[in-house]
Amino acid sequence: EAGVAQSPRYKIIEKRQSVAFWCNPISGHATLYWYQQILGQGPKLLIQFQNNGVVDDSQLPKDRFSAERLKGVDSTLKIQPAKLEDSAVYLCASSFDSGSFNEQFFGPGTRLTVL
Amino acid sequence: AQSVAQPEDQVNVAEGNPLTVKCTYSVSGNPYLFWYVQYPNRGLQFLLKYITGDNLVKGSYGFEAEFNKSQTSFHLKKPSALVSDSALYFCAVRDGGSGNKLVFGAGTILRVKS
């Protein structure tokens, strides 16, 4: 079974530039998550999709971050404009559905450095 | 709000010795607890979970975790550590709100020395 795919793996940008990350979840997984992991901290949920609808985006900085999941499969996360404090690893995860007992499967992450 | 705490930034253990990585939780309602491991430049991998039932949960790679309701703890254990177990370990709790949102601890670095 193929895992969660993410690209790019690494990205370096200047502050105020824009950047986009892509995620392809495990086939058949209805729920997709984007997490932000700042160095020295645990991952923090940014947004959760159930199919192509948003379930939770309470911690997404909506003035600069946006995400979409067209057709309920792939997803993109965009930052525009980026700030220095956005430097982090962005993890995508998926689960079969949003049920309480389903573990989440994580991709390798995209390491973003904002200069 | 649900939360977990991992009181140790780093745990050092000799190969072959037992290891324990500590986690305490704070929840309203029933606790649904998870352990994940993260190797360098890789995503998180699921190790085990506690939903209900037996307080000793067995997981991947010989790891187990002991749920203790009175102490609100969910410590990760392994009887005999391997050098390859060296990694970053995260405890997480499911938030009882909408969806299956996980709230993670800050992580504990495990170093196993030969």
Side-chain angles (χ1 to χ4, degrees):
Chain A
E1 177 180 83
V4 176
Q6 289 187 249
S7 66
R9 292 294 311 276
Y10 305 91
K11 190 73 176 179
I12 300 174
I13 61 172
E14 300 280 337
K15 60 183 179 183
R16 291 187 290 274
Q17 286 185 324
S18 63
V19 64
F21 312 129
W22 173 83
C23 173
N24 182 246
I26 292 173
S27 177
H29 280 192
T31 309
L32 185 147
Y33 314 79
W34 283 103
Y35 288 88
Q36 179 191 57
Q37 185 180 11
I38 293 173
L39 186 65
Q41 300 180 19
K44 181 185 79 173
L45 181 72
L46 292 176
I47 189 167
Q48 176 183 340
F49 292 94
Q50 179 73 16
N51 296 310
N52 59 355
V54 176
V55 175
D56 185 346
D57 63 357
S58 58
Q59 298 190 93
L60 186 74
K62 299 181 185 63
D63 58 333
R64 297 184 301 105
F65 286 65
S66 64
E68 60 182 10
R69 191 184 184 196
L70 299 176
K71 301 181 182 179
V73 182
D74 293 8
S75 177
T76 56
L77 176 69
K78 297 179 181 178
I79 307 175
Q80 182 179 12
K83 292 185 175 181
L84 296 177
E85 58 261 37
D86 298 332
S87 294
V89 176
Y90 291 84
L91 296 166
C92 179
S94 69
S95 63
F96 180 71
D97 61 29
S98 60
S100 304
F101 312 142
N102 292 322
E103 58 261 35
Q104 297 177 21
F105 296 84
F106 285 78
T110 296
R111 182 177 298 277
L112 174 67
T113 302
V114 182
L115 303 175
Chain B
Q2 324 288 52
S3 66
V4 292
Q6 295 181 242
E8 302 157 316
D9 291 336
Q10 183 167 317
V11 170
N12 298 308
V13 64
E15 186 175 32
N17 283 1
L19 69 86
T20 298
V21 183
K22 296 180 180 178
C23 172
T24 59
Y25 65 88
S26 174
V27 302
S28 54
N30 294 322
Y32 301 127
L33 299 158
F34 299 77
W35 275 101
Y36 282 81
V37 60
Q38 186 174 35
Y39 297 99
N41 299 315
R42 296 178 67 176
L44 279 70
Q45 295 179 33
F46 169 78
L47 280 179
L48 51 80
K49 63 184 175 184
Y50 173 82
I51 304 299
T52 186
D54 196 347
N55 289 342
L56 186 62
V57 179
K58 294 191 181 297
S60 306
Y61 314 120
F63 284 94
E64 56 191 25
E66 185 172 10
F67 173 72
N68 187 315
K69 188 173 183 178
S70 63
Q71 297 184 5
T72 62
S73 66
F74 188 56
H75 299 334
L76 182 69
K77 299 182 179 185
K78 188 174 183 181
S80 178
L82 300 173
V83 172
S84 57
D85 292 330
S86 298
L88 180 58
Y89 290 81
F90 290 100
C91 181
V93 63
R94 189 187 77 88
D95 192 299
S98 61
N100 192 14
K101 173 180 172 180
L102 288 176
V103 177
F104 286 86
T108 298
I109 297 171
L110 173 66
R111 295 199 191 279
V112 182
K113 296 182 179 180
S114 58

